[in-house]
Amino acid sequence: MRWCCGCAPGGSSTVSESHAAPLVVGSGNTNHRRSRHADDEETVAMVSQTSLSSPPVTATTTILREEGNNHRELSTPPPVTPLVQQQQFYYSPGKTHIYHQLPISGQEPLTTGPPLHPSGGETVSGQTYIMNKYGSMLLRPCKLVLFVTSSPAPASAECAFFQRLKSSSWTIHRTVPDTAKDDFHKFRPVLILLDSKLPNLQSTASSLHSLPETEDVLFGVLCDRALSDKRRKTLESEFHQYFLASSTDISLCELYAKVSAQLRALPAFFTVVDEAEQPIKICDENDIIQYVNRAYEHISGVNRAEVIGKDVSEIRLKTTKTASLPSAIVPSSAPTEIDRHSFQTHRRRSSEWHCIPVPSSSASHQYVYVKRGSADVAICRDLSLKSLRSAGALVDAPITEAMSVLANLMHRCDEDVQPMVREAIKILSSSELYAPSITRFRDSDRIASGYYEGLIRLHQPSRHRKRSVVDAFRDHRVATGETRRRISSDVVNALEKEDSWQYDVIALERITNNHALSHLGAKIYERWNVGETLRCSMDTIFKWLTVIEANYHPNNSYHNATHAADVLQATSFFLSSEVIAQYAQDVHAVAALIAATVHDLDHPGRGNAFLMNTRHKLALLYNDHSVLESHHVALAFQLTLAQPGVNIFARLPREEFINMRRAIIDMVLATDMSRHFEYLTKFQQLTTNIPDIEDNRDANSLTICRMLIKCADIANPCRDWKLCKQWGMRIVEEYFEQTTEEVEKGLPITMKGFERETCNVPMTQCTFIDMFAREAFSSWCEFAELPQLLNMLEFNYDSWKDQAGTWDPSNNSKLL
Ligand SMILES: Nc1nc2c(ncn2[C@@H]2O[C@@H]3COP(=O)(O)O[C@H]3[C@H]2O)c(=O)[nH]1
């Protein structure tokens, strides 16, 4: 089937002499004049198309490179019987123009029309722009009629029907039966009208129907008066419609011109898809394969004729076991366009294939599978770790780069190499090779370097000054208060909806007079049956919570027991997610709750860098490694095991205690921000290979729970704005106090940008989101299917941004 588009070159809508015209598929230079020796390579693509009315549309492409007037065949895919004749058109890859060229030797495709209309969906100077979900495409309805009559000379006065057609920019070519076929090939009309007075009307129509390219052409008979039923019945096998010469209704013709213009775009797209470097296949909603491209044939070793029409599950690919298709998860409801972009879409999870539901208005859906890690990153998400980082990621560890190369390689190499590459990735991701270096933020960005120095790099060459800055940890303030809980109705009410993300833990802090942790903890532990797992009573658990709460510093503006309650509440919320419940083991879930409770125990209100710079005894004790985090969890076990009546692990069998303790330590240590990107990368690596997640449940559960508590620890920016803002002010106040002390004592400033006199608080929050929160929650929310948290993060980011422009540092003296 050959196509032409019916506008003259240059976009005018005058009746054109020649009707081949370019179909611009991409943006490209639409004024590009194709010359015989164009500066960029021109190739001729011969495409055979099935009839458009009979899916699946298969296309074989024989690429011919044009050299002079000769065409040398470039590549031939495995033979698939073309159902119809060859179509010939040109495309120049560099400019993604596809020229439809009638196979008249030597005829140049014409220059293209004006540039794509930016808005799309409009008709400008006779050109129609079709806006689809992926952007506008320039299509020009082909308004060409071939009128077959016995007298080629036009009647003195055109009939009303023809006048109406011409007034709507239609071109009418008259011909006689003997030259009708040649003229059809020459003009490529969308509408063939035969004069009802033709002596051999039916045989003429039948002869034209025999041309394969007429399968999508509208056949009409033009008559002076309405046909009798009998006459219509005899003609119905040859004609789709009869038109009265006296009629001025051309609506069917107009519609058909538009529809066929869209259909004509198919060969272009199939050529692009067929020539794409990455394997692509298209399935319908029943997972029947409708189409595969040449790269798929190449990588799978099967010919498309062997797979088209087959059920995905039947496909056993010859060369790549892993390339088998994932079993489909049919969504309960057809994903709408919006769904497609929400995390709730039931994507067919597979590490090998990126599945894209094709948005369509119909209930049934097609799915495009694109093999991951393939050449054309533009379409499929590249598995390299680098691409897993948000484009704005500021930090890349050398090891991450190496793993990104390996992840890419893994999906391109053949099957016997793949396991080795996969193993290499596992080895690299298991050892401490992550030494993130801030690579992309401006040195002048003091806040970002403040976070980097103060949270990640930590160690400062420091002047030695003996400091007994924080001795509070010696003062083990053990609560000797009563352990029998009396709960007022206010507290009971304040504990309502503790399972909601909107829960206001700061209100609970107020109502309980700084005992949010013990009260909220008791409720959450009870809801999670922690007592059952630990084989201890809720009374013991409440006593334990009271002791732990008493060892947080109430005078810290941020790192106090309410922050622990906040992180515990977030941990409980995340554990409630269906996806997490599927992957987190019970022991790790309970460990996460306990870890959240103790994760900042006895925090001195100063960061690790400060303790290291002051040679604090904790820094000496823990050799500058995760100093505070080690202290939090060590003290937690000391307090638990040393205090009679509060040992919540007392009844745990030894083996279970060892496992529980290991998991709690692991998760608390994971809150050390100096290893943020290490844990994040491992989580991303794991969750982009969903099938792998099944084969090492224990280790994977821990990786997920580490990420869970990490996100709970930095979840402030995802909370309701009122809470987000309060937490932001609290953390900055604590930083101000640290910086003030560093200045007073001549210590290195660990958190640059957090000087009370000059700090732009909203800007510090935006930087925290840019550097840490956005990327972590993008990965976390996609995996845990919590898209609403990302929406809140971006809303809060914009709220901080709005304030940053007018922030007055004089506000910094009264943040709380
Ligand atoms: N600026 C800013 N930093 C935060 C916020 N939440 C957590 N952090 C930082 O992330 C760190 C996580 O570990 P810590 O609790 O030790 O200290 C925390 C802060 O340094 C926030 O809302 N704003």
Side-chain angles (χ1 to χ4, degrees), residues 531-568:
E532 200 176 302
T533 306
L534 300 180
R535 304 172 178 78
C536 77
S537 69
M538 273 313 297
D539 196 43
T540 304
I541 286 178
F542 186 69
K543 283 178 188 165
W544 177 78
L545 286 166
T546 307
V547 168
I548 297 296
E549 181 174 67
N551 279 273
Y552 276 93
H553 297 202
N555 298 332
N556 287 349
S557 52
Y558 180 87
H559 287 104
N560 52 42
T562 308
H563 165 62
D566 180 47
V567 173
L568 173 60

Side-chain angles (χ1 to χ4, degrees), residues 223-267:
C223 33
D224 295 334
R225 58 183 175 282
L227 298 177
S228 67
D229 287 349
K230 183 167 178 282
R231 176 76 171 137
R232 258 194 302 181
K233 216 156 181 49
T234 54
L235 294 177
E236 67 186 5
S237 59
E238 305 303 339
F239 294 96
H240 305 115
Q241 181 70 24
Y242 78 89
F243 298 96
L244 281 176
S246 58
S247 162
T248 57
D249 174 8
I250 63 169
S251 55
L252 178 63
C253 306
E254 290 287 318
L255 171 68
Y256 201 76
K258 283 204 183 97
V259 168
S260 61
Q262 295 198 34
L263 288 176
R264 296 183 169 187
L266 272 178

Side-chain angles (χ1 to χ4, degrees), residues 139 172 387 528 567 570 617 619 650 752 770:
L139 295 175
I172 302 169
S387 74
W528 285 94
V567 173
K617 60 176 60 178
K752 295 186 193 70
D770 284 336

Side-chain angles (χ1 to χ4, degrees), residues 465-535:
R465 293 182 52 109
K466 198 84 187 104
R467 292 283 315 145
S468 60
V469 169
V470 176
D471 297 324
F473 82 95
R474 282 203 205 95
D475 164 19
H476 291 294
R477 288 171 300 218
V478 177
T480 53
E482 56 192 11
T483 56
R484 179 73 41 218
R485 261 194 311 155
R486 282 199 317 277
I487 300 185
S488 71
S489 57
D490 292 350
V491 173
V492 172
N493 295 337
L495 287 170
E496 287 291 308
K497 298 192 174 60
E498 47 80 15
D499 58 345
S500 159
W501 187 250
Q502 280 64 41
Y503 184 70
D504 186 346
V505 72
I506 293 178
L508 183 66
E509 173 192 73
R510 198 172 43 254
I511 292 167
T512 60
N513 189 22
N514 280 333
H515 293 294
L517 180 59
S518 53
H519 286 89
L520 181 59
K523 180 144 192 217
I524 289 177
Y525 278 48
E526 194 161 26
R527 186 154 65 83
W528 285 94
N529 291 327
V530 173
E532 200 176 302
T533 306
L534 300 180
R535 304 172 178 78

Side-chain angles (χ1 to χ4, degrees), residues 383-386 388-389 393 395-404 407 425 428-431 433-436 675-689 703 706-707 710 775-776 779:
L383 254 191
S384 71
L385 292 176
K386 195 175 188 59
L388 294 176
R389 321 223 71 130
V395 184
D396 265 331
I399 187 65
T400 310
E401 303 281 348
M403 287 173 68
S404 118
I425 290 176
L428 290 175
S429 61
S430 61
S431 49
L433 293 172
Y434 299 80
R675 302 179 66 185
H676 171 77
F677 295 102
E678 173 189 340
Y679 287 115
L680 174 58
T681 301
K682 287 178 179 174
F683 175 77
Q684 290 172 331
Q685 180 63 22
L686 174 68
T687 51
T688 53
N689 296 288
T703 300
R706 285 187 197 125
M707 189 65 184
K710 272 185 55 58
E775 185 177 4
S779 298

Side-chain angles (χ1 to χ4, degrees), residues 451 455 558-559 563 599-600 603 629 671 673 713-717 724 727-728 731-732 735 751 754 764-765 768:
Y451 275 125
L455 288 184
Y558 180 87
H559 287 104
H563 165 62
H599 86 283
D600 271 338
H603 196 294
E629 294 73 20
T671 63
M673 287 301 279
D713 194 21
I714 61 172
N716 310 151
C724 164
W727 288 119
I731 186 80
V732 172
Y735 285 157
M751 298 294 283
F754 287 91
T764 67
Q765 299 313 297
F768 179 76

